[in-house]
Amino acid sequence: MALLSDNELDDREIAAMIETRIQDKMGITPDQFRSALHQLCEEILLDDGDKAGVAVTDPDQAIEMMVLINRDASMSFDDISQLVDLIYDTDSTVIKATLLDDKRIDETLDRIDNPQLQLWICGMLLYLIKADNVIHENEKSLF
């Protein structure tokens, strides 16, 4: 969520993740991380009724988005970044309405019941959102 909350997938934030070995500390592989990021993008695009969650009026853009969503193979960060860009190009309110939905944040945070892990996640979240030298309003809300 932190990587997407400022409306773009920034290379400096990815570099900060790699530098601090966040994935290793979370016990996941790079492919598992990319898969989770891809799944989050897909959730943003789909509502509870499995209908498109954003309005796409350009048929070429819709095709490009669906190709990226329906990939079975693990996606590169460039592919995910392209998907993020497509999401924001279609509807600028998607990030606030979908990603930063209070229910989604609460459900995610409720799964973390270890106080040490909670503190570590807060520290890593702050580190990531500062990586591009700009703290976006959505990043502040998430933090």
Side-chain angles (χ1 to χ4, degrees), residues 74-140:
S74 63
M75 296 181 74
S76 69
F77 283 118
D78 288 341
D79 292 335
I80 294 172
S81 184
Q82 181 183 358
L83 181 56
V84 171
D85 289 343
L86 286 168
I87 291 169
Y88 293 114
D89 286 347
T90 57
D91 186 344
S92 62
T93 63
V94 169
I95 193 69
K96 273 224 178 273
T98 307
L99 179 61
L100 296 178
D101 175 78
D102 288 340
K103 182 180 177 190
R104 178 189 304 278
I105 293 171
D106 289 345
E107 286 175 355
T108 302
L109 295 178
D110 285 347
R111 288 183 255 162
I112 305 163
D113 57 3
N114 179 316
Q116 287 180 311
L117 184 56
Q118 290 169 342
L119 287 173
W120 180 80
I121 289 172
C122 284
M124 287 299 103
L125 176 60
L126 186 57
Y127 184 75
L128 286 176
I129 65 176
K130 289 174 46 179
D132 61 2
N133 297 318
V134 177
I135 300 180
H136 190 275
E137 286 302 313
N138 289 349
E139 290 173 324
K140 289 179 190 176

Side-chain angles (χ1 to χ4, degrees), residues 26 63 139:
M26 292 188 311
I63 290 167
E139 290 173 324

Side-chain angles (χ1 to χ4, degrees), residues 17-101:
M17 275 193 60
I18 293 167
E19 177 186 312
T20 57
R21 303 181 61 132
I22 292 174
Q23 292 168 217
D24 294 343
K25 292 173 184 173
M26 292 188 311
I28 62 173
T29 66
D31 280 346
Q32 288 172 317
F33 176 76
R34 282 191 295 269
S35 176
L37 194 54
H38 178 244
Q39 184 178 356
L40 181 59
C41 289
E42 189 172 344
E43 286 175 18
I44 291 170
L45 288 169
L46 302 175
D47 67 15
D48 292 336
D50 289 333
K51 298 179 186 135
V54 295
V56 181
T57 55
D58 178 0
D60 291 335
Q61 189 178 37
I63 290 167
E64 188 177 2
M65 198 177 285
M66 292 313 292
V67 167
L68 289 168
I69 291 172
N70 293 323
R71 293 178 66 137
D72 289 329
S74 63
M75 296 181 74
S76 69
F77 283 118
D78 288 341
D79 292 335
I80 294 172
S81 184
Q82 181 183 358
L83 181 56
V84 171
D85 289 343
L86 286 168
I87 291 169
Y88 293 114
D89 286 347
T90 57
D91 186 344
S92 62
T93 63
V94 169
I95 193 69
K96 273 224 178 273
T98 307
L99 179 61
L100 296 178
D101 175 78

